[in-house]
Amino acid sequence: MPDEIPQPEPMTVSQFLISAGLFEGGLLVVAILVGWLIGIPPTGELTWSLHDFGLGLLATIPMLLLLAAAWLSNSNGLQQIRKFLRDMLGPLLEKCRFIDIVFLALLAGVCEEVLFRGLLYQWGKAWNPTLAIVVMNVLFGLAHAVTPMYAWLAGLVGLYLTALMSADPTPNLLIPMTAHATYDLFAFQLVLWDYRRHQRATEDEAAEH
């Protein structure tokens, strides 16, 4: 019999967190360097405000309602996303402490918002605000293209996050940054809950046989 093909070792939690940090941190470095080259500080519209922080938390509610509707949907495309996240991300999140998951959510919320709405949107709107919104959110969707539908949903979320800035007479990157990070925190917890529920169901089914 031919030798079995060796399977790669599962990623450790340290490797997972380091990989996430390098990727998201890389986005932040790119934003800062490109912003310096073109003269647009990507954190130029970021200021601390308790009021705007609260608005960011409130702005998470529609995103969480969309997440709940998508999670409960029987759509094949949405179920594929749920299965992908459960199978690929769930085992990694299972190894993480809660503080690690908070760290991941903050990484994504801060680094991605600095790049997409702190740099790309500010750069593009100087030329054509409408085109900047379209192009930037297409790029945001493509950056999350684990499946075509996931990319489409991410683009919609990106459009909403952009609206949180563009509709404000005193734009503050803190608002979409807070909403993004808070949404990711809840989404990670939902994926982890779904993974644990699925594992228990699988174990119960195996015990019955």
Side-chain angles (χ1 to χ4, degrees):
M1 293 179 63
D3 294 336
E4 292 186 0
I5 299 174
Q7 297 298 315
E9 291 292 326
M11 184 180 292
T12 67
V13 64
S14 295
Q15 291 171 331
F16 173 51
L17 293 173
I18 290 171
S19 297
L22 289 174
F23 176 77
E24 296 290 352
L27 297 182
L28 183 62
V29 170
V30 167
I32 292 172
L33 288 178
V34 173
W36 176 72
L37 288 172
I38 63 178
I40 298 178
T43 57
E45 293 190 340
L46 173 61
T47 57
W48 168 252
S49 163
L50 185 59
H51 175 265
D52 286 351
F53 177 74
L55 287 179
L57 293 177
L58 288 175
T60 313
I61 295 174
M63 299 167 65
L64 294 178
L65 292 175
L66 175 63
L67 174 64
W71 208 261
L72 296 173
S73 171
N74 292 322
S75 162
N76 288 334
L78 292 173
Q79 286 300 313
Q80 287 176 0
I81 294 173
R82 179 175 175 176
K83 184 178 185 303
F84 175 87
L85 293 174
R86 184 184 67 218
D87 294 345
M88 298 300 295
L89 192 56
L92 295 169
L93 293 175
E94 172 69 15
K95 302 174 185 178
C96 294
R97 300 167 298 172
F98 179 71
I99 191 64
D100 297 328
I101 296 175
V102 172
F103 169 73
L104 291 171
L106 286 173
L107 263 182
V110 171
C111 299
E112 293 178 18
E113 290 307 308
V114 169
L115 175 63
F116 287 99
R117 270 152 285 279
L119 176 67
L120 297 180
Y121 175 61
Q122 303 307 322
W123 185 21
K125 75 176 185 179
W127 302 86
N128 186 311
T130 301
L131 184 61
I133 291 173
V134 172
V135 172
M136 188 265 298
N137 287 298
V138 167
L139 292 175
F140 187 76
L142 291 175
H144 297 79
V146 295
T147 71
M149 180 168 286
Y150 195 95
W152 184 78
L153 290 173
L156 285 180
V157 170
L159 187 63
Y160 173 71
L161 291 171
T162 306
L164 294 178
M165 281 196 68
S166 60
D168 194 328
T170 57
N172 189 351
L173 189 61
L174 179 67
I175 299 175
M177 193 179 283
T178 302
H180 189 155
T182 306
Y183 169 83
D184 278 0
L185 179 59
F186 277 92
F188 289 150
Q189 291 296 123
L190 180 59
V191 171
L192 180 57
W193 171 84
D194 192 44
Y195 171 75
R196 288 172 173 169
R197 182 197 61 81
H198 181 72
Q199 288 296 101
R200 287 195 298 268
T202 302
E203 291 169 0
D204 290 345
E205 184 178 346
E208 291 176 359
H209 293 83

